[in-house]
């Protein structure tokens, strides 16, 4: 009796559980705690750890610290939702790993671990730093020695003499962000000063700086020193996707050049070199970027190298993770959970927050006890990741309500049909089939699959009828019925044929099919297994849609990519039929592959390659092209042999530039045209060689006293031919035998100035220049004849006179000196209340005898002197002349009081202008009579307060009136007049605040 009751009520009980389960769900994290750094000096007084999850019913929260439950009843803690707030945090009891635990009736989940740590940056020790004395030209290292701190994410800068003056980093100076030290490649006199290391912690937003370190350069004859690498990057472990920074800096005089490379491999595409070559950054580092990196420092005195390895590892990352899952009661579960990483992550499992299993998760014969919240955890030395999911166990009798069988099933004659039977049921039901009243069993043409589907092959008319699927499990049974009808089979009656065309021609593929007349027929074309999209490819593909049962394909303007196997598929909703044919396209060759550069010499390299596709027409020749950084244009290279036949796979490129970076590519040609170029080869640099070109335009002369200035046109990069490129300048007085030589190490400079206090002025010298590099010297240029600098003038200009013109102008005149080397004259002037150092200067050519000084201050005493100058400098000034500018012109503008027309004249009248005590007296008035819109006109002068002007014959005229004085012209007033009698008495006055001078 109890057995019967159990089987009657159990399905109802499970159904109610399933309904409740569909409405609710276990906790799903929306926010989890993250690693937090709390500054020890913070005034906030609290720190919070966030945790938020959604769930139905609403979840409860609790927290763990270092795997111990936190007593949330203590006043130190408070909770807002799942957010934990710690009041007055202390390092001794609050630092550690926190976990948020969330639960409801469906299960429990644990958050990822979050670390609370306490950040600090101590001040520098108060002791004074020792002074550093270094000879000029020698390298120096100033130690930062940062104070105790956490975390180790400091950034470093250096102060010079005072805050906030930070030193500018350049090719000669570098601050390591690894240890904070300041490195100076070679000390100069300008480096003298007091230096302080300035340290910042972004995590706790605090900065401190050290006591100042005096740096005292010791004067010495500058010597040269070879490159010596002092900042050396170490073996580095980086995480996939991170940005990696490597530092390298060298001392030496002259400043060494820094170069980066990756041993036997090209540099990463994301690599970036900055800080004048001292820093290599690799952005978004990948596994293929792992390897041995080298920094090379070199000056013409010597070179130094440093190598270290970069290892790329990775935190765990999901390849496949678990998701919420419903499983039938009694079924088996395999829950794949796969993560990648380096080292390979280990997998462990939690169930409802408690440790469950390790490795792969498989469970057999699931029961309700297996339901709950599961967490798959993948971890390695670099991190840990969680995947959370809920497992629900369901049980129900079979039902076809959600997925009934199709009422009508079509099958093609002679074909195959599968009739699906997919009721909802748990556990999995047993299936049986019937046709009408006949029970079906597996046979030669009929098969019942494990999932309940019925398969029938070689369909005939006799197979038509009603088919019923029966499903039964230990909780009940159900059935569903559908009707099977047979249709005529689809057949290709005219299949496509193979076609052979040349690029640019059209091709046609035929395809005709027969099918059941009650069904619609469609044609699908594919190329090499990929369906052709006629909308996207309408420029090349076109279908014949006008004739029923005809799927003919037209390929227009055939290209090489259109070659391949074409398949025509005639398809109805019941079945399909396919036929295939090949399209051969003849055209220019494809790109050659596998280019390798071998036997690299100074002017030649050997290339090898592999043949590309000939596209059904033999390759007749190859062309090799090259490109340098000097131009983005690919150019045909000169080769040996000069004609590279189509059966060759190697050649030598000749007449290259020594010490030049090259890329090469190869193009194949056949009778149908020239193909696409190959991928560029790896970039290589040819070997160096001594320069063979001499600098041009050698000349010079001029300059300051006791100087010999030598100039030339620097050679462009393509003529350097090697590293450590520079110039050797040779010179000697005309007639002497021994040449003096100096070295200029900067390849961009085309000027050298030789200073010698014993050098006589305007002396004839012979000069010549040649280039050199680390492989040797080039030829000297043609010898040029130049002259040393002449002496500055010694004569003083005479008869200097100054005449005041107005309140803001004066003219200065003088007599020329007799020295023919004079190039011009300089006039200095400054106000008496200013210092002579503030004097303004005007220079004029040696053809001028006078000049005008403008924009002077009114009623001001000025000092004026004149001196001669040439390329060597300025001669002695003349005696200083004192002179006072006029008072300022009247600031009051005339007030025009009337404008009266009298016959053919206008009479304009204005009030008298009275000058202020600090202004020049009015001597009269200037009147400008001009057409409106023009600046030129007729100027009148008068001592009266009235003037007569003609009536305009056409349009309007403007009359401008201003007072005149010895200090200049005052401000202007104006009116407009016209020949229109109706406007004759109109008085229109416009006052402008600008001053006009005539």
């Amino acid at each position: 009796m109890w057995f019967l009751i159990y089987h009657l009520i159990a399905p109802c009980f499970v159904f109610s559980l399933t309904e409740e389960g569909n409405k609710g769900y276990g906790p799903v994290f929306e926010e989890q705690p993250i690693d937090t750094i709390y500054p020890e000096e913070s005034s906030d007084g609290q720190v919070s750890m966030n945790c938020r999850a959604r769930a139905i019913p609403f979840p409860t929260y609790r927290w763990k610290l270092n795997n111990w439950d936190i007593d949330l009843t203590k006043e130190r803690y408070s909770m807002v939702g799942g957010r934990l707030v710690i009041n007055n945090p202390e390092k001794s009891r609050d630092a550690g790993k926190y976990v948020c635990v969330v639960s409801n009736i469906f299960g429990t989940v644990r958050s990822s671990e979050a670390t609370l740590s306490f950040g600090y940056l101590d001040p520098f020790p108060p002791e004074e730093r020792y002074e550093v004395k270094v000879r000029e030209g020698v390298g120096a290292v100033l130690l930062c020695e940062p104070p105790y701190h956490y975390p180790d994410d400091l950034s470093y800068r250096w102060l010079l003499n005072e805050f906030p003056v930070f030193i500018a980093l350049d090719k000669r100076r570098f601050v390591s962000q690894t240890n904070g030290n300041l490195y100076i490649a070679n000390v100069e006199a300008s480096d003298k000063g007091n230096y302080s290391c300035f340290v910042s912690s972004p995590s706790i937003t605090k900065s401190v700086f050290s006591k100042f370190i005096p740096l005292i350069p010791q004067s010495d004859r500058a010597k040269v020193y070879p490159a010596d690498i002092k900042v050396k990057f170490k073996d580095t472990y980086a995480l996939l996707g991170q940005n990696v920074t490597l530092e390298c800096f060298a001392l030496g005089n002259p400043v060494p050049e820094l170069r980066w490379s990756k041993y036997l491999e090209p540099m990463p595409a994301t690599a970036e070199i900055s800080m004048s070559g001292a820093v290599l950054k690799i952005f978004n580092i990948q596994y293929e970027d792992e390897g041995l990196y080298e920094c090379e420092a070199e000056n013409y005195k010597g070179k130094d190298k440093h190598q270290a390895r970069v290892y790329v590892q990775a935190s765990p990352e999901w390849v496949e993770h678990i998701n919420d899952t419903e499983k039938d009661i009694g079924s088996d579960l395999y829950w794949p959970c796969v993560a990648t990483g380096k080292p390979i992550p280990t997998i462990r499992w939690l169930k409802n927050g408690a440790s469950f299993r390790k490795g792969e998760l498989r469970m057999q014969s699931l029961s309700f006890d297996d339901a709950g919240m599961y967490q798959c955890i993948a971890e390695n030395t670099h991190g840990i990741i969680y995947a959370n999911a809920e497992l629900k166990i369901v049980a129900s009798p079979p039902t076809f309500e959600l997925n009934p069988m199709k009422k009508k099933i079509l099958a093609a004659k002679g074909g195959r049909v599968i009739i699906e039977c997919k009721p909802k049921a748990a556990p999995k039901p047993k299936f049986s089939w019937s046709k009408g009243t006949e029970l079906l069993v597996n046979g030669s043409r009929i098969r019942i699959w494990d999932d309940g589907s019925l398969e029938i092959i070689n369909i005939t008319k006799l197979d038509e009828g009603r088919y019923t699927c029966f499903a039964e499990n230990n909780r009940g049974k159900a059935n569903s019925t559908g009707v099977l009808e047979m249709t005529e089979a689809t057949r290709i009656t005219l299949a496509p044929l193979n076609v052979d065309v040349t690029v640019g021609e059209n091709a046609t593929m035929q395809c005709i099919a027969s099918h059941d007349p009650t069904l619609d027929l469609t044609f699908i074309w594919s190329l090499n297994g990929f369906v052709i999209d006629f909308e996207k490819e309408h420029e090349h593909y076109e279908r014949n849609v006008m004739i029923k049962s005809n799927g003919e394909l037209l390929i227009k303007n055939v290209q090489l990519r259109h070659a391949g196997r074409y398949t025509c598929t005639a398809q109805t909703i019941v079945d399909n039929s396919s036929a295939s044919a090949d399209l051969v396209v003849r055209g220019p060759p494809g790109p050659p592959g596998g280019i390798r550069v071998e036997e690299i010499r100074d002017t030649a390299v050997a290339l090898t390659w592999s043949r590309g596709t000939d596209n059904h027409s033999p390759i007749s020749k190859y062309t090799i092209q090259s490109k340098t950084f000097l131009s983005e244009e690919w150019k045909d290279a000169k080769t040996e042999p000069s004609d590279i036949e189509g059966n060759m796979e190697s050649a030598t490129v000749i007449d290259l530039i020594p010490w030049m970076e090259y890329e090469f590519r190869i193009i194949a040609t056949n009778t149908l045209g020239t193909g696409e170029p190959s991928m560029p080869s790896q970039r290589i640099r040819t070997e160096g060689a001594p320069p063979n070109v001499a600098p041009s335009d050698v000349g010079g002369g001029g300059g300051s006293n006791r100087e010999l200035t030598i100039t030339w046109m620097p050679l462009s990069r393509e003529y350097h031919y090697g590293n450590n490129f520079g110039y050797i300048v040779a010179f000697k007085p005309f007639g002497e035998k021994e040449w003096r030589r100096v070295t200029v190490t900067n390849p961009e400079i085309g000027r050298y100035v030789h200073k010698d206090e014993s050098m006589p002025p305007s002396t004839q010298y012979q000069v010549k220049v040649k280039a050199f590099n680390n492989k040797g010297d080039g030829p000297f240029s043609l010898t040029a004849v130049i002259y040393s600098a002449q002496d500055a003038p010694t004569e003083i200009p005479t008869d200097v006179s100054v005449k005041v013109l107005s309140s803001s102008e004066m003219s200065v005149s003088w007599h020329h000196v007799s020295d023919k080397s004079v190039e011009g004259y300089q006039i200095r002037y400054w106000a008496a209340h200013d210092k002579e150092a503030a004097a303004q200067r005007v220079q004029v050519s040696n053809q001028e005898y006078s000049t005008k000084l403008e924009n002077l201050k009114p009623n001001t005493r000025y000092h004026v002197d004149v001196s001669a100058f040439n390329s060597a400098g300025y001669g002695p000034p003349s005696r200083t002349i004192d002179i006072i500018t006029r008072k300022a012109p009247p600031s009051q503008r005339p007030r025009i009081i009337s404008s009266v027309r009298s016959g053919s004249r206008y009479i304009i009248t204005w009030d008298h202008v009275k000058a202020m005590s600090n202004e020049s007296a009015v001597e009269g008035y200037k009147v400008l009579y001009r057409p409106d819109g023009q600046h030129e006109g007729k100027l009148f002068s008068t001592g009266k307060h009235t003037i007569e002007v003609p009536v305009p014959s056409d349009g309007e005229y403007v009359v401008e009136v201003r007072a005149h004085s010895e200090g200049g012209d005052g401000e202007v007033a104006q009116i407009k007049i016209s020949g229109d009698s109706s406007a004759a008495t109109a008085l229109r006055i416009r006052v402008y605040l600008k001053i006009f001078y005539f």
Side-chain angles (χ1 to χ4, degrees):
M1 186 60 150
W2 281 109
F3 176 79
L4 292 174
I5 293 173
Y6 172 80
H7 280 274
L8 286 171
I9 68 170
C12 300
F13 175 72
V14 174
F15 179 77
S16 66
L17 281 179
T18 304
E19 288 297 303
E20 178 66 24
N22 287 336
K23 294 177 183 177
Y25 54 89
V28 178
F29 280 112
E30 292 184 331
E31 185 177 11
Q32 299 190 54
I34 60 174
D35 291 344
T36 301
I37 297 174
Y38 180 80
E40 289 186 359
E41 300 176 9
S42 174
S43 59
D44 292 346
Q46 61 176 218
V47 64
S48 60
M49 307 292 281
N50 293 335
C51 181
R52 182 162 45 90
R54 68 177 189 274
I56 298 177
F58 194 80
T60 60
Y61 296 87
R62 55 192 176 93
W63 284 84
K64 288 178 175 288
L65 169 57
N66 296 328
N67 225 21
W68 292 87
D69 286 334
I70 294 177
D71 184 358
L72 297 175
T73 61
K74 292 184 178 179
E75 292 184 0
R76 298 187 62 251
Y77 302 106
S78 59
M79 286 266 288
V80 181
R83 180 168 170 259
L84 174 67
V85 178
I86 307 170
N87 298 305
N88 301 317
E90 297 178 9
K91 181 178 180 180
S92 59
R93 56 180 176 176
D94 294 318
K97 295 183 177 180
Y98 286 75
V99 173
C100 173
V101 183
V102 189
S103 304
N104 73 357
I105 62 171
F106 291 101
T108 300
V109 289
R110 292 166 58 105
S111 73
S112 55
E113 290 183 344
T115 300
L116 174 60
S117 51
F118 288 73
Y120 61 93
L121 175 59
D122 289 348
F124 276 93
E127 291 80 17
E128 296 293 331
R129 298 281 189 110
Y130 293 110
E131 66 182 15
V132 177
K133 295 181 179 180
V134 184
R135 295 197 312 275
E136 291 180 12
V138 176
V141 181
L142 301 186
L143 303 181
C144 178
E145 297 177 334
Y148 292 114
H149 59 274
Y150 181 85
D152 193 16
D153 62 347
L154 302 183
S155 64
Y156 301 91
R157 290 186 289 174
W158 281 76
L159 296 168
L160 178 59
N161 295 326
E162 61 181 353
F163 182 85
V165 180
F166 293 98
I167 67 167
L169 303 182
D170 51 27
K171 195 173 183 180
R172 195 172 60 86
R173 294 179 293 191
F174 176 69
V175 175
S176 170
Q177 295 304 309
T178 301
N179 54 29
N181 295 342
L182 169 63
Y183 298 83
I184 305 175
N186 52 68
V187 172
E188 298 177 353
S190 61
D191 292 323
K192 182 178 181 180
N194 297 312
Y195 292 77
S196 171
C197 181
F198 187 86
V199 180
S200 299
S201 173
S203 296
I204 62 172
T205 61
K206 181 181 178 181
S207 299
V208 294
F209 56 87
S210 70
K211 289 287 187 178
F212 282 92
I213 304 172
L215 176 62
I216 305 173
Q218 303 290 298
S219 179
D220 192 8
R221 182 180 177 183
K223 296 180 180 179
V224 294
Y225 299 96
D228 181 14
I229 295 178
K230 291 297 184 183
V231 180
K232 300 179 179 182
F233 58 99
K234 299 178 181 178
D235 285 351
T236 302
Y237 286 84
L239 291 182
L240 186 72
Q242 282 187 340
N243 300 334
V244 177
T245 300
L246 306 180
E247 295 181 340
C248 178
F249 190 76
L251 311 185
N253 189 24
V255 177
E257 293 287 335
L258 298 170
R259 290 185 296 275
W260 291 86
S261 61
K262 185 180 181 188
Y263 184 65
L264 296 180
E265 294 182 71
M267 289 283 279
T270 59
E272 183 180 286
I273 297 173
S274 59
M275 300 298 292
S276 301
V279 173
L280 170 66
K281 285 188 176 180
I282 306 173
F283 295 93
N284 188 23
I285 195 165
Q286 301 298 306
Y287 287 124
E288 58 267 24
D289 299 331
E290 186 173 271
L292 189 64
Y293 286 80
E294 180 179 276
C295 169
E296 181 180 82
E298 183 176 13
N299 61 16
Y300 73 86
K301 188 67 176 177
K303 68 170 65 175
D304 192 10
K305 289 183 180 181
H306 172 69
Q307 291 181 335
R309 187 168 292 276
V310 173
Y311 299 91
V312 180
Q313 300 198 334
S315 302
E317 185 175 333
W318 292 121
V319 175
E320 186 176 8
H321 62 79
I322 58 175
N323 294 294
D324 291 346
T325 300
E326 284 188 2
K327 295 294 287 184
D328 295 345
I329 190 168
S331 64
D332 297 337
L333 171 67
Y334 167 58
W335 229 347
C337 188
V338 182
T340 184
K342 190 176 180 182
I344 297 173
T346 60
I347 300 292
R348 59 188 175 92
W349 295 81
L350 303 179
K351 179 185 177 185
N352 292 327
S355 181
F356 185 57
R357 291 187 186 175
K358 292 184 178 180
E360 189 178 75
L361 180 61
R362 292 180 183 270
M363 293 190 286
Q364 288 80 34
S365 301
L366 293 171
S367 68
F368 289 120
D369 291 339
D370 295 316
M373 299 301 300
Y374 288 79
Q375 293 179 276
C376 175
I377 302 174
E379 57 187 323
N380 66 8
T381 54
H382 302 298
I384 180 170
I385 54 176
Y386 291 71
N388 305 343
E390 181 179 358
L391 174 62
K392 288 186 177 181
I393 306 301
V394 296
S396 67
T399 175
F400 285 94
E401 288 182 7
L402 300 177
N403 194 20
M405 279 180 56
K406 293 181 180 179
K407 296 302 180 185
K408 184 178 180 180
I409 303 117
L410 299 178
K413 181 180 178 181
R416 168 178 174 266
V417 67
I418 296 175
I419 308 174
E420 292 185 340
C421 178
K422 293 186 176 180
K424 181 178 180 183
K428 181 181 175 181
K430 295 181 179 180
F431 296 97
S432 60
W433 282 84
S434 69
K435 178 188 175 189
T437 59
E438 178 188 357
L439 184 65
L440 299 178
V441 295
N442 288 339
S444 59
R445 291 196 313 114
I446 296 176
R447 181 187 170 198
I448 301 173
W449 290 7
D450 288 341
D451 67 357
S453 299
L454 175 66
E455 178 185 20
I456 307 173
I457 61 175
N458 298 327
I459 299 292
T460 67
K461 192 71 173 175
L462 296 176
D463 292 319
E464 290 184 329
R466 293 171 60 83
Y467 287 81
T468 302
C469 174
F470 298 91
E472 181 178 3
N473 66 10
N474 59 4
R475 303 188 181 274
K477 56 186 175 181
N479 64 75
S480 184
T481 300
V483 177
L484 177 64
E485 294 182 4
M486 188 192 77
T487 63
E488 291 297 324
T490 303
R491 298 283 185 267
I492 299 287
T493 57
L494 186 59
L497 301 174
N498 295 339
V499 181
D500 190 324
V501 295
T502 300
V503 168
E505 295 179 346
N506 295 339
T508 301
M509 293 280 191
Q510 61 188 9
C511 186
I512 298 177
S514 63
H515 66 292
D516 191 291
T518 63
L519 303 175
D520 291 331
L521 178 69
T522 58
F523 287 91
I524 298 174
W525 282 92
S526 61
L527 170 59
N528 297 326
F530 294 94
V531 175
I532 297 171
D533 188 331
F534 284 88
E535 288 188 6
K536 290 184 179 179
E537 299 281 350
H538 66 276
E539 292 184 2
H540 292 285
Y541 291 109
E542 186 178 298
R543 262 188 313 200
N544 186 345
V545 295
M546 303 302 294
I547 303 175
K548 190 176 181 181
S549 303
N550 189 339
E552 183 179 80
L553 173 67
L554 173 62
I555 310 168
K556 301 175 291 184
N557 186 21
V558 172
Q559 301 300 307
L560 291 171
R561 68 177 184 274
H562 297 141
R565 190 163 188 80
Y566 285 79
T567 300
C568 172
T569 301
Q571 179 175 289
T572 67
I573 60 171
V574 177
D575 68 339
N576 63 71
S577 180
S578 299
S580 301
D582 293 322
L583 174 64
V584 174
V585 181
R586 302 181 186 276
I595 301 178
R596 289 186 298 170
V597 186
E598 303 170 340
E599 299 177 23
I600 301 172
R601 300 189 292 276
D602 54 354
T603 60
V605 298
L607 291 186
T608 62
W609 62 91
S610 57
R611 295 168 55 87
T613 58
D614 62 10
N615 291 322
H616 310 289
S617 179
I619 297 172
S620 55
K621 70 169 185 175
Y622 289 101
T623 302
I624 298 178
Q625 294 183 326
S626 65
K627 184 177 75 169
T628 70
F629 76 92
L630 299 174
S631 171
E632 288 300 314
E633 181 183 356
W634 288 93
K635 299 178 180 178
D636 289 353
K638 191 172 182 181
T639 61
E640 202 173 81
S642 56
D643 294 324
I644 306 173
E645 298 179 356
N647 59 354
M648 298 177 64
E649 294 186 6
S650 64
T652 300
V653 182
I654 59 175
D655 290 353
L656 299 178
I657 300 172
W659 194 247
M660 180 62 69
E661 290 186 346
Y662 278 95
E663 290 178 280
F664 301 95
R665 69 181 188 182
I666 302 173
I667 302 173
T669 302
N670 64 16
T671 56
L672 297 177
T674 297
E676 292 293 319
S678 68
M679 292 291 291
S681 68
Q682 180 180 342
R683 184 176 297 169
I684 61 97
R685 176 181 283 169
T686 51
E687 292 291 326
N692 63 6
V693 176
S696 61
D697 296 338
V698 176
S704 301
N705 282 337
R706 307 296 184 255
E707 287 184 354
L708 177 67
T709 301
I710 304 168
T711 60
W712 63 92
M713 179 66 69
L715 292 177
S716 60
R717 166 64 181 82
E718 59 189 296
Y719 297 113
H720 287 189
Y721 286 11
N723 201 13
N724 296 335
F725 181 85
Y727 302 97
I728 295 174
V729 181
F731 57 94
K732 67 182 180 69
F734 197 86
E736 289 190 9
K737 293 183 178 180
E738 186 176 346
W739 291 84
R740 293 193 61 180
R741 297 190 180 197
V742 293
T743 300
V744 178
T745 59
N746 189 334
E748 308 299 326
I749 289 180
R751 185 172 184 267
Y752 171 73
V753 177
H754 176 68
K755 295 183 179 182
D756 187 347
E757 293 301 323
S758 64
M759 183 186 301
S762 302
T763 302
Q764 194 177 54
Y765 275 81
Q766 292 178 295
V767 297
K768 58 185 179 180
V769 183
K770 69 177 177 179
F772 73 90
N773 61 23
N774 59 339
K775 296 293 183 179
D777 296 352
F780 268 115
S781 65
L782 295 175
T783 300
V785 176
I786 63 173
Y787 290 84
S788 61
Q790 53 200 352
D791 277 339
T794 56
E795 291 186 63
I796 299 174
T798 58
D799 293 338
V800 177
S801 66
V802 182
K803 180 180 180 183
V804 175
L805 302 179
S806 69
S807 63
S808 62
E809 295 178 327
M810 64 177 71
S811 67
V812 183
S813 61
W814 60 90
H815 282 178
H816 283 190
V817 299
S818 60
D819 188 347
K820 296 187 181 303
S821 72
V822 169
E823 297 175 2
Y825 294 88
Q826 175 178 266
I827 299 88
R828 295 192 309 158
Y829 59 99
W830 64 98
H833 59 268
D834 289 338
K835 295 182 179 179
E836 183 178 350
Q840 299 187 61
R841 294 167 169 78
V842 174
Q843 291 186 347
V844 297
S845 73
N846 59 7
Q847 304 297 316
E848 303 293 335
Y849 288 83
S850 65
T851 190
K852 182 190 287 187
L853 305 181
E854 299 177 325
N855 299 322
L856 305 176
K857 296 177 181 178
N859 198 25
T860 301
R861 180 184 297 276
Y862 277 89
H863 302 313
V864 182
D865 66 27
V866 182
S867 59
F869 68 86
N870 60 17
S871 61
Y874 296 94
S878 67
R879 66 181 179 86
T880 301
I881 296 177
D882 289 359
I883 195 162
I884 300 175
T885 53
R886 309 288 189 201
K887 292 182 178 181
S891 58
Q892 179 186 348
R893 69 186 67 83
R895 188 170 71 89
I896 301 174
I897 57 177
S898 68
S899 171
V900 180
R901 180 171 176 172
S902 176
S904 62
R905 314 284 288 178
Y906 267 101
I907 301 173
I908 311 296
T909 306
W910 58 89
D911 282 343
H912 176 63
V913 174
K914 294 182 179 180
M916 306 289 286
S917 60
N918 61 345
E919 296 176 343
S920 299
V922 177
E923 296 178 348
Y925 298 90
K926 289 183 178 180
V927 180
L928 179 64
Y929 177 68
R930 62 177 176 80
D932 188 18
Q934 298 184 20
H935 297 290
E936 302 294 330
K938 188 173 182 181
L939 183 65
F940 302 92
S941 294
T942 179
K944 301 178 180 180
H945 304 159
T946 182
I947 195 168
E948 295 184 6
V949 294
V951 172
S953 58
D954 183 26
E956 290 186 322
Y957 269 64
V958 175
V959 179
E960 296 179 349
V961 183
R962 61 185 60 75
H964 175 66
S965 69
E966 68 173 2
D969 295 337
E971 296 184 359
V972 66
Q974 74 170 26
I975 65 169
K976 284 186 179 181
I977 60 176
S978 69
D980 183 0
S981 60
S982 64
T985 59
L987 178 62
R988 292 172 291 172
I989 303 176
R990 291 187 184 176
V991 179
Y992 289 93
L993 298 180
K994 62 180 181 178
I995 300 175
F996 291 77
Y997 297 96
F998 294 86

